[in-house]
């Protein structure tokens, strides 16, 4: 999910796309002369969504036919749920819009909640 000043943009990450990102990050780290741990660090950073920073929203939406966006004006409420290690439940998020309710498995619920509150304020519970 990419948060912009006008909308939330959802980008599907397939396993193939993730593997391509990992391989590219590893190769770039090797070319920069990074050691094994530097290469591992580069691989791990591909899971953060950094590749979408600075990319035009239209390019993100065009990357995959399943990518979509939600205008901020349509968001009624966002609930962020923190996972529980005892029952092995993951962090998750529910977005209620004027027309539907969507549920997502997320990572770093605290970070997601903080970023969404900066844009959506009291709509984030």
């Amino acid at each position: 999910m990419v948060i912009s000043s006008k909308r939330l943009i959802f980008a599907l990450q397939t396993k193939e796309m993730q593997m391509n990102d990992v391989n590219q990050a590893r190769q770039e780290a090797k070319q920069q002369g990074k050691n094994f741990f530097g290469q591992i660090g580069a691989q791990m950073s591909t899971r953060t969504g950094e590749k979408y920073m600075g990319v035009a929203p239209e390019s993100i939406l065009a990357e995959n036919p399943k990518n979509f966006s939600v205008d901020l004006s349509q968001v009624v409420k966002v609930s962020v749920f923190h996972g529980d290690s005892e029952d092995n439940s993951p962090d998750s998020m529910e977005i209620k819009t004027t027309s539907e309710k969507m549920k997502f498995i997320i990572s770093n619920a605290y970070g997601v909640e903080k970023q969404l509150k900066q844009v959506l304020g009291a709509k984030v519970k």
Side-chain angles (χ1 to χ4, degrees):
M1 178 177 69
V2 177
I3 304 169
S4 80
S5 60
K6 296 180 182 180
R7 57 189 165 177
L8 303 176
I9 304 167
F10 296 86
L12 175 68
Q13 287 289 287
T14 65
K15 288 185 181 193
E16 292 81 18
M17 291 169 70
Q18 291 174 354
M19 285 305 301
N20 288 340
D21 290 346
V22 165
N23 289 335
Q24 182 178 352
R26 184 184 310 130
Q27 289 303 320
E28 288 175 8
K30 279 183 185 179
Q31 289 174 355
Q32 295 170 4
K34 293 187 178 178
N35 64 17
F36 175 76
F37 293 109
Q39 292 172 31
I40 296 295
Q43 288 176 227
M44 290 172 60
S45 71
T46 63
R47 301 202 63 160
T48 65
E50 282 289 319
K51 76 178 193 174
Y52 294 114
M53 300 308 291
V55 175
E58 292 73 25
S59 296
I60 298 169
L61 292 168
E63 180 183 54
N64 188 308
K66 292 185 179 180
N67 292 358
F68 65 97
S69 67
V70 175
D71 287 342
L72 295 181
S73 63
Q74 294 180 340
V75 176
V76 175
K77 178 181 174 184
V78 177
S79 300
V80 178
F81 304 100
H82 303 271
D84 185 350
S85 58
E86 286 187 24
D87 66 4
N88 205 24
S89 63
D91 291 349
S92 61
M93 173 179 65
E94 183 177 281
I95 299 176
K96 183 178 180 188
T97 70
T98 54
S99 61
E100 65 183 309
K101 187 185 289 187
M102 300 172 280
K103 295 183 180 185
F104 302 93
I105 302 295
I106 60 173
S107 58
N108 188 8
Y110 291 103
V112 170
E113 185 174 25
K114 181 180 176 182
Q115 290 178 338
L116 284 169
K117 280 185 177 181
Q118 289 175 351
V119 175
L120 294 169
K123 291 182 180 181
V124 180
K125 309 287 182 198

